[in-house]
Amino acid sequence: MRDVAIIGVGATKFGELWDRSFRSIGIEAGMKAIEDANLSGSEIDGLFIGNMSAGRFINQQHINALIADYSGMATHNIPATRVEAGGASGGVAFGQAVMAVASGIHDTVLVGGAEKMTDLDDTSINTIMDATADAEWEAGMGLTLASLYAMIARRVMYEGTATRDEIASVAVNSHFHGALNPAAQFRKEIVLEAVTRSGPVADPLGMFDCAPITDGAAAVVLCPLEEAKKHTDSYVKVSAIAQGSDTLALFQRPDITRFGATVAASKRAYEIAGITAADISVAEIHDDFSIAGILALQDLGLYKKGEAGKAFLSGETRVGAGKVAINTSGGLKARGYPIGASGVAQIAEITDQLRGKADKRQVANARYGLAQSVGGTGSTVAVSIMEAI
Amino acid sequence: MSKVARAWREYPGKYNLEGTKCGNCGTIFFPRRDFCPKCRREGIGKMQKHRVQREGEIFTFSVIYEAPACNSFLKPYAVAMVKTKDGVLVSGQLVDIELDKIAIGMPVRAVLRKLDEDGASGIIHYGFKFVPIK
Ligand SMILES: [Zn+2]
């Protein structure tokens, strides 16, 4: 197996991009990443695309062919593959692409993630999100994805491992960083009360506990580590990719206050990278709902059970404040959550952090960074670790 | 019509909470599974139909204020994960209950109710919901 490097990243602005089509945002992100890698594009010999539901959002199946075509890659007839894993689509697509380069099957690969959501109304969008849970035995019984996370939050509060304020502070942390990211959907800090007093969605979670509906795309370029220098001086090493699964339905698990797939994937990732959680200086975690941020920090081993909420509330998860900066991009909550794009956008943020290109949200002297991408209620989790060169 | 077939084949689970019990290790599963994830090959062919106990207690719950179009007329409404007397967790709606009186540990029972319908002229879906045990 070969070591793999990330040599370029690109992303669109995240937000309600009324004037932009799926193909237009997908291509913008890809072209920016290719340009960042100092490539012409003709070097790319494989394409991977994370996308959750173009079939339902824009009535377009066969997304891999569309992206290959409009990125100009179809003229070379290179293979393109679309990956779907609910909210983890982008993270899993990145993992597949890393495997393709590590194995020697491909040399220079473009990994994209894209989602165009706002062509539909909010209710239809949420119904599609709910289908990442068990469509028959959760959504089909009247449960929503938000209500599943709300039930996790209720149980966490009942067992006493986080308070309502601590859970809400996950969103405050993401907005603090979103204010520093020009590409974020929400560039505004918020106070704790804005979360706890926001309109109820699924009690105890309110509107500000939930990531927004977003259009956006992100992309990264991979090549063998030993060839990275030929293209650029600004690259990072992919130290580990790992992935875990769990039951599709939340109620089939004995303990809903942890995601076993995150625990398993991160344990494996640390082993592969030859490090421990204590070596991570910056992490992008999947805060589609605030409570997911509490679980993530604990399941990734960054904080002990009962300590993650305290870290968020005290502000020690902010850039420059503590041992590990969380969601410096603004996370899903403030940067935005274009589903299939988010896992790839996380990799782009970690890459920029590790090569000193994160501007106002730069973490000093970061050597290792981690990204966690989650599908449904933790039914799929991808964990990736990158290392500064 | 395919929607009819899709609903019909899940009637045993939706109406009667029929799951399966592994004949090898005794673990109860809801909804039904064709083999036991614990016993794998040793459990194949040994799964038996098993009706989960209809009584249990609330393990966790939420009150939904934003709902899919098919349930929007119910808003707000409560949902829960219920631990049945078999020790199995099951998810469903909580009805005939005051929303601000719901608590973890509250005893509930599964009853058959209308879940939703496929438009005005489509089929009406029925299934279990939980009500408090007075
Ligand atoms: Zn068994």
Side-chain angles (χ1 to χ4, degrees), chain A residues 52 56 84-88 125-152 246-253 259 288-289 337 339 374-380, chain B residues 6 31 64 68 81 91:
Chain A
M52 188 185 90
R56 292 179 72 181
E84 192 267 319
I125 291 165
N126 285 327
T127 301
I128 295 167
M129 298 296 296
D130 294 343
T132 63
D134 189 321
E136 191 71 51
W137 298 101
E138 292 181 319
M141 303 301 285
L143 284 75
T144 61
L145 191 63
S147 73
L148 291 165
Y149 276 92
M151 289 197 286
I152 294 172
D246 208 332
T247 60
L248 182 63
L250 182 67
F251 69 82
Q252 303 232 308
R253 300 177 211 159
F259 284 167
D288 55 345
F289 297 95
Y337 184 28
I339 310 167
V374 177
T377 49
S379 310
T380 303
Chain B
R6 179 176 180 169
I64 295 179
M81 284 171 59
S91 281

Side-chain angles (χ1 to χ4, degrees), chain B residues 22-27 29 36-40 43 47:
Chain B
C22 174
N24 200 49
C25 72
T27 306
F29 298 97
C36 173
K38 292 182 183 172
C39 302
R40 299 173 192 263
M47 298 297 269

